[in-house]
Amino acid sequence: MYFPVMAGNEWTCSMHPEIVRAQPGDCPICGMALEPKTFSPEQETNDAELRDMSRRFWVAVAFTVPLFIIAMGEMLPGAPLSRFLSPRGGAMVELALATPVCTWAAWPFFVKFARSLKNRSPNMFTLIGLGVGTAYGYSLVAVLAPGAFPPAFRGESGEVAVYFEAAAMIVTLILLGQVLELRARSQTGSAIKELLGLSPKTARRIHSDGTEDDVPLEAVEVGDLLRIRPGEKVPVDGFVVDGATLIDESMVTGEPIPAEKHEGDQVVGATINGTGMLIMRAEKVGSDTLLARIVTMVAEAQRSRAPIQKLADVVSGYFVPVVIGVAIVTFTVWSLIGPEPRMAHALINAVAVLIIACPCALGLATPMSIMVAMGKGASVGVLFKDAEALEALRKVDTIVVDKTGTLTAGRPELVTVEPGPGFDAARLLSAAASLERGSEHPLAEAIVAGAVERGVSIPPSESFQSITGQGVTGRVEGRDVALGNRRLLEGLGASAGALLDRANGLRTGGQTVMFVVIDGTVAGILGVADPIKEGTPAAIAGLHAEGVRVVMLTGDNRKTADAVAATLSIDEVMAEVLPDEKAAAIKRLQDHGHVVAMAGDGINDAPALAQAQVGIAMGTGTDVAMQSAGVTLVKGDLRGIIRARRLSRATMANIKQNLLFAFVYNSLGVPIAAGVLYPFFGLLLSPVIAAAAMSLSSVSVITNSLRLRGTKI
């Protein structure tokens, strides 16, 4: 896969995809690092922020560990540090150790804190900046100008307490949380990274003079002949010109069984050739290949927003101002009625409230699950256009399916050759195929292909004539031959006799029947049918097992549609529906209270796909259908709908778990940090513990989201 345009790449925020920038940076709403919108094989994982945070974390650890030992020195056995450091000296050493942590190591937090104020968009970094800045700034003044503090700030010994270790530990723990979060977030894009790694770097091009050489993938052009040797990857999309083999297409279909490929068959870039040798002609290259389109679709879907995200957005919009208000109230209450030193207790509890209430877990709850789910779907051949389709699919109670190309293969096949008295099957088929070889009609192609498969010779024909609405006539090996429907027989004055009843029986079974007339006598009948896809019966049965009603919506005649519906146990049939009437049929079902998904593959299905709550396009169909649909089944197998519904249910359950955890965490954490348990149990929550809990909450949400990668669908 090759993406020729990268210079104009844009950057966006996974939690706020409406934010788009021409350069990397931070989201002005949440402060998180922006991520690239497009991908290329040459593009490395953007781990600059991870490296920076890791470096700052280890520097913070190096200073915080001795700082913590000094601050806690009085609690150590024998209090060894008190022999060497006076209270004043210890405070100065703590200042020296805490300053690099609370300035250089915490600098990114303060920059994002300042931006949140400038943009008037309070976020988690607003709370971190206030908490760390208050604890460090207070302690700095306490060391440099202790006389400025009134008695309410002093302990029993008259000293003003300092909280350098708390400020430094908060920074260190938050940096640790950021490092863990960035590492976990990188795993959510693993599906795209794996897809990017599938495409080969080179292709073996065959030149017009017969020579061959290996060229970079980006040098391949439409129309080039390419050789694919055993075990190699198919370089781009195209079709087989020569050779036969088995190709592993699991990377795009999720199916483990290799597919047979012969001359004329389509092949997909990045799939793996088996033991055969192929020559293919390039048809789609660069960003037009199926793999490139899958990567683009997954990337765009990962950045989309599910409707359930609106709840988190509303809460987050009010959350930070409310927390700041709670911190102010906490400070005020403790400063008025708290134990001595009242002001010191007020300050430390207010800082604990600010730190523990960071809404990062709440903001991550939905987008992390969406990102993992989109990658999971891509790995099994189910592509979601956006998160809205992912959320809506689990609510669908009615699935409307087109017949041709969706329930059936969309490629008519010759299934019945029944000669009349005095004729044999080979002679009958030879005459019909000879007449139809010059036609491009799908039924004609099916007859010719059927003759080739059966090894029947196809002599040349002459005097070919097409009669609209009836059939074709001509001469084959000196005989007058005609092929068509009953009206053609009437026009020729020929009688079908007993074959007429047989023809009606075949039509009831879903076949399209044609009469063959040789020298004025009905020589037999041919039956052509569009075979039902291999996975369709299992898909319909699976949907019924989930309580989903299945409706067929087709433009085909009623008799053929009823025959297919009876075979598949479809609940309702809407036949002989014109293309412009399909969307109206979907609307009628919706008006009756049904949540409708529509599955189709053709241009004529696009309006209906757009009308349905969820449009499902066959990856084997037209690009227009895929653009109109919210879900694309890469292989065109309806069993993918069942996979998609399972993934939808698992994802929404995962999101609800994340949101519940985030809400419960903040609902319990903020009151405890404010000190509501102190009057009853004498318990206070240290800002250090608050920082650890805040970091753990974000990592827990991401870890829970990553569980979706192991979901069996």
Side-chain angles (χ1 to χ4, degrees):
M1 180 175 51
Y2 169 65
F3 291 82
V5 180
M6 281 298 297
N9 192 16
E10 294 179 324
W11 300 72
T12 186
C13 174
S14 60
M15 289 196 287
H16 300 93
E18 69 274 16
I19 301 299
V20 179
R21 297 289 185 268
Q23 300 294 333
D26 297 329
C27 174
I29 299 176
C30 66
M32 301 300 293
L34 300 180
E35 300 171 352
K37 290 186 68 175
T38 58
F39 300 82
S40 78
E42 296 79 15
Q43 183 176 320
E44 297 291 335
T45 303
N46 184 24
D47 59 353
E49 186 183 20
L50 175 58
R51 290 195 303 269
D52 180 61
M53 287 295 177
S54 298
R55 183 167 54 249
R56 293 178 188 273
F57 166 70
W58 288 115
V59 170
V61 168
F63 284 96
T64 301
V65 169
L67 171 60
F68 189 78
I69 293 174
I70 293 172
M72 300 293 106
E74 294 298 326
M75 300 181 183
L76 298 176
L81 295 177
S82 62
R83 304 173 187 173
F84 306 100
L85 294 174
S86 65
R88 175 71 177 171
M92 293 300 293
V93 173
E94 289 183 35
L95 170 60
L97 291 171
T99 297
V101 179
C102 296
T103 54
W104 180 82
W107 184 250
F109 303 149
F110 288 121
V111 170
K112 295 177 180 181
F113 164 65
R115 287 177 183 166
S116 72
L117 298 181
K118 179 182 177 181
N119 297 326
R120 297 180 181 179
S121 180
N123 53 47
M124 63 172 286
F125 295 103
T126 309
L127 302 181
I128 292 173
L130 284 174
V132 174
T134 300
Y136 176 77
Y138 165 83
S139 301
L140 178 65
V141 176
V143 170
L144 300 181
F149 290 89
F153 284 90
R154 302 177 184 275
E156 295 180 0
S157 62
E159 294 291 333
V160 179
V162 294
Y163 300 100
F164 288 120
E165 84 286 354
M169 283 295 292
I170 289 171
V171 172
T172 304
L173 289 170
I174 293 175
L175 283 170
L176 174 61
Q178 289 285 292
V179 169
L180 295 176
E181 179 181 319
L182 288 168
R183 287 180 179 174
R185 283 168 65 94
S186 68
Q187 296 180 43
T188 61
S190 60
I192 289 182
K193 296 171 190 173
E194 290 171 3
L195 288 172
L196 288 172
L198 290 174
S199 58
K201 303 299 181 185
T202 61
R204 189 161 189 82
R205 183 162 55 190
I206 303 174
H207 298 280
S208 56
D209 60 0
T211 60
E212 302 178 10
D213 62 350
D214 292 327
V215 298
L217 197 62
E218 56 266 31
V220 176
E221 299 179 354
V222 174
D224 283 350
L225 290 179
L226 307 173
R227 183 180 298 278
I228 309 168
R229 291 166 290 198
E232 291 184 336
K233 293 181 178 179
V234 178
V236 295
D237 295 0
F239 57 91
V240 178
V241 174
D242 185 37
T245 190
L246 293 174
I247 288 186
D248 179 1
E249 296 183 331
S250 59
M251 49 76 63
V252 291
T253 65
E255 295 295 330
I257 302 175
E260 292 186 19
K261 297 294 178 181
H262 304 277
E263 183 179 343
D265 289 341
Q266 295 283 331
V267 288
V268 178
T271 54
I272 302 173
N273 184 25
T275 58
M277 180 82 74
L278 291 181
I279 295 177
M280 66 167 289
R281 187 179 301 279
E283 186 177 24
K284 293 182 179 180
V285 300
S287 58
D288 292 331
T289 64
L290 176 61
L291 181 60
R293 286 155 53 203
I294 288 175
V295 169
T296 300
M297 185 177 292
V298 173
E300 291 177 351
Q302 287 183 335
R303 293 192 301 271
S304 63
R305 298 166 70 80
I308 196 173
Q309 176 70 20
K310 295 177 182 178
L311 173 61
D313 289 344
V314 171
V315 174
S316 297
Y318 293 100
F319 191 77
V320 174
V322 168
V323 168
I324 293 175
V326 171
I328 293 173
V329 171
T330 299
F331 181 87
T332 302
V333 172
W334 278 89
S335 65
L336 294 176
I337 62 175
E340 296 294 346
R342 295 195 308 274
M343 298 302 293
H345 280 96
L347 178 69
I348 207 68
N349 287 319
V351 169
V353 169
L354 292 172
I355 296 301
I356 201 169
C358 288
C360 188
L362 186 62
L364 290 170
T366 298
M368 288 299 101
S369 295
I370 295 298
M371 290 179 70
V372 177
M374 295 303 179
K376 175 68 176 179
S379 69
V380 294
V382 178
L383 305 179
F384 289 92
K385 185 177 183 180
D386 51 40
E388 185 174 357
L390 178 66
E391 180 174 343
L393 191 57
R394 80 191 200 285
K395 301 177 182 177
V396 167
D397 59 25
T398 302
I399 290 184
V400 178
V401 291
D402 178 45
K403 182 180 77 68
T404 305
T406 303
L407 293 173
T408 64
R411 297 184 302 273
E413 295 180 0
L414 180 65
V415 294
T416 299
V417 179
E418 192 159 320
F423 294 90
D424 60 64
R427 179 184 174 191
L428 177 71
L429 184 55
S430 176
S434 174
L435 205 59
E436 292 283 36
R437 187 162 57 177
S439 174
E440 295 181 354
H441 192 281
L443 296 180
E445 293 179 357
I447 292 172
V448 173
V452 172
E453 290 175 1
R454 291 165 172 79
V456 174
S457 63
I458 305 178
S461 63
E462 49 188 37
S463 303
F464 176 84
Q465 182 180 1
S466 175
I467 304 174
T468 303
Q470 297 184 29
V472 294
T473 62
R475 289 184 63 81
V476 178
E477 296 182 322
R479 293 174 175 271
D480 292 325
V481 179
L483 176 71
N485 56 25
R486 188 173 178 179
R487 283 191 292 171
L488 178 67
L489 295 186
E490 294 172 353
L492 296 174
S495 173
L499 288 175
L500 185 60
D501 292 335
R502 175 59 176 155
N504 289 332
L506 293 176
R507 289 194 187 98
T508 303
Q511 295 186 36
T512 299
V513 178
M514 290 160 284
F515 295 95
V516 181
V517 181
I518 299 179
D519 289 336
T521 302
V522 177
I525 55 177
L526 302 179
V528 174
D530 187 3
I532 293 172
K533 288 183 180 180
E534 179 183 354
T536 298
I540 301 299
L543 291 170
H544 282 154
E546 294 189 357
V548 178
R549 184 164 167 261
V550 182
V551 178
M552 181 196 295
L553 182 65
T554 179
D556 280 1
N557 65 77
R558 168 66 63 174
K559 184 173 288 188
T560 301
D562 285 342
V564 174
T567 301
L568 296 173
S569 300
I570 288 176
D571 301 300
E572 181 181 348
V573 177
M574 299 181 185
E576 301 176 0
V577 180
L578 297 177
D580 57 353
E581 297 174 343
K582 287 189 174 183
I586 298 291
K587 183 67 167 57
R588 286 195 297 273
L589 290 170
Q590 292 170 330
D591 290 341
H592 284 84
H594 295 292
V595 180
V596 181
M598 165 70 186
D601 73 326
I603 294 176
N604 61 333
D605 296 321
L609 292 171
Q611 174 64 42
Q613 276 94 343
V614 182
I616 303 172
M618 302 295 106
T620 52
T622 64
D623 287 344
V624 173
M626 286 185 275
Q627 291 168 3
S628 302
V631 181
T632 297
L633 307 180
V634 175
K635 194 180 179 183
D637 188 337
L638 287 178
R639 286 175 293 186
I641 297 177
I642 300 174
R643 294 192 185 104
R645 280 173 56 83
R646 289 173 183 166
L647 182 59
S648 174
R649 288 194 295 268
T651 302
M652 295 314 300
N654 191 270
I655 288 174
K656 290 177 180 178
Q657 292 165 4
N658 288 345
L659 289 174
L660 178 63
F661 178 82
F663 281 128
V664 170
Y665 163 80
N666 284 295
S667 299
L668 296 178
V670 171
I672 293 174
V676 296
L677 297 180
Y678 184 80
F680 307 101
F681 306 103
L683 295 177
L684 290 177
L685 187 65
S686 165
V688 173
I689 303 300
M694 187 275 289
S695 298
L696 181 62
S697 68
S698 299
V699 174
S700 298
V701 164
I702 296 176
T703 302
N704 187 51
S705 299
L706 290 173
R707 288 194 310 108
L708 282 172
R709 294 193 301 177
T711 301
K712 293 183 179 181
I713 60 173

